[in-house]
Amino acid sequence: YTVPNIFAGDVFNPFLLSNDGGDYRFVYWGPKGSQTPIHSDVLNTFSWSYNVFGEKKWIFYPPPSSSYMFTSIDNKVKDKATSNHNNNPNEDTKYCFEIIQKTGETVYVPSGWKHSVHNLQETLSINHNWITPSTLDQMFSCILSEIEAIDQEMTDWGMGIDDDNADNDDDDIDDWGSTFRRRHGPDGGDCKRGVSIETLIELYRIREDMLRGCVGLDVTTFCVLVLDCLSQSLHNLFLLQKQKEVVNGQDQNDMHIVDTNTNVCLLSEQSNQEQQQQQTQQQEQDDFLWENWFDFTCLVNMLNCILFEEKGSSLSSCDATSATKRSSKHLNRESLRNRLCAKLGERMGDKVLQTMFKLAKGCNLLLQGAESTETNDEENRSL
């Protein structure tokens, strides 16, 4: 099938198909009377669902009710929220609504919205989960929640790792592996706890495998996804800038011709339709440039949240504040390095981490240069 244009911009499934071999595209079949209880979609993704045939009833619970626990999927919903939420109007069905989806119709499900689905007839549907660069912070928040749960489970099993204070405040990290080995002794072991580097890496490999088993994605794959999106965004911005320079150069040439040939005005020879087409094309290019710049700022902010914790960029248009605060506890730099090395090997893991730091610093400089109105020409050329 072909994805409708209104749902374009998915960076998740193309990345998985190219690098991971999987995807989040499904075909659902259900007999009359079957149902899916209240849930929110995996990894806080968006989703859309197209009915090939049949009829469904959807019940949506938009925020803030999506953060509540429900005991039934009927029209009457019992709220199990704590007493401090009693002043929030969420009784019965006041904060939920129903829609009936018929054959040939498509339903869009926003990120984080809890919902239940009832097949009123035998139904076959196409379901597609997706994410955009500007909403990767929602996915990251979901991953952090699962990391927290897995860490607690591993601790209960006696396999906990206490690295809350193992962070390195130095932003200039050129050789993280050497930094790690200095902290843990010349043999790579943990001098304080008597844990070898092999055992420590294995504990993180187990955590990555558990995370993938729970939500279908681990930290390593998510980091590579962010890098992939950021490199593509930079590439698009570079091409758009080059195209803009070419167009500006042509405009200057046209102005020169008009000035030097006063008897012939080339602009007058263009029909109104051609001018409108040019204006439309220019507006589309401007919109595309703005969309790419917006995605770029959100991706830089996402990278900052992963690497710099509380030092996330304030220039980004997306809000990953909650994810940032939680990352410092459950995904500090040492645990990030260990996860990367557990999945990619020590050498490649260190290279990926170094690339993330260098790219983040360069992109932050680019954002600062774009935001500054007092940057001189020499600094512009440097950026």
Side-chain angles (χ1 to χ4, degrees), residues 145-185:
S145 296
E146 207 62 40
I147 288 176
E148 183 177 357
I150 291 173
D151 284 348
Q152 183 60 53
E153 188 172 357
M154 294 290 281
T155 299
D156 294 341
W157 290 348
M159 302 174 69
I161 301 176
D162 181 17
D163 54 7
D164 289 345
N165 299 317
D167 229 1
N168 191 320
D169 294 331
D170 184 12
D171 290 344
D172 298 319
I173 297 178
D174 295 322
D175 187 353
W176 187 268
S178 297
T179 305
F180 181 84
R181 281 186 288 273
R182 286 197 301 271
R183 180 182 299 123
H184 293 284

Side-chain angles (χ1 to χ4, degrees), residues 250-266:
Q250 292 176 346
D251 290 342
Q252 291 177 0
N253 291 334
D254 290 341
M255 291 297 295
H256 178 71
I257 293 174
V258 172
D259 291 339
T260 55
N261 298 275
T262 55
N263 295 329
V264 180
C265 182
L266 297 181

Side-chain angles (χ1 to χ4, degrees), residues 192-237:
K192 181 179 179 181
R193 289 168 287 180
V195 178
S196 68
I197 180 60
E198 291 79 10
T199 301
L200 195 61
I201 294 297
E202 177 63 15
L203 288 173
Y204 277 103
R205 186 196 62 77
I206 294 173
R207 281 165 166 75
E208 285 287 87
D209 289 346
M210 291 177 67
L211 185 60
R212 176 176 285 271
C214 291
V215 295
L217 196 70
D218 52 40
V219 171
T220 301
T221 307
F222 180 77
C223 289
V224 178
L225 169 62
V226 173
L227 288 176
D228 184 76
C229 292
L230 190 52
S231 63
Q232 184 61 48
S233 179
L234 282 168
H235 180 69
N236 290 339
L237 289 173

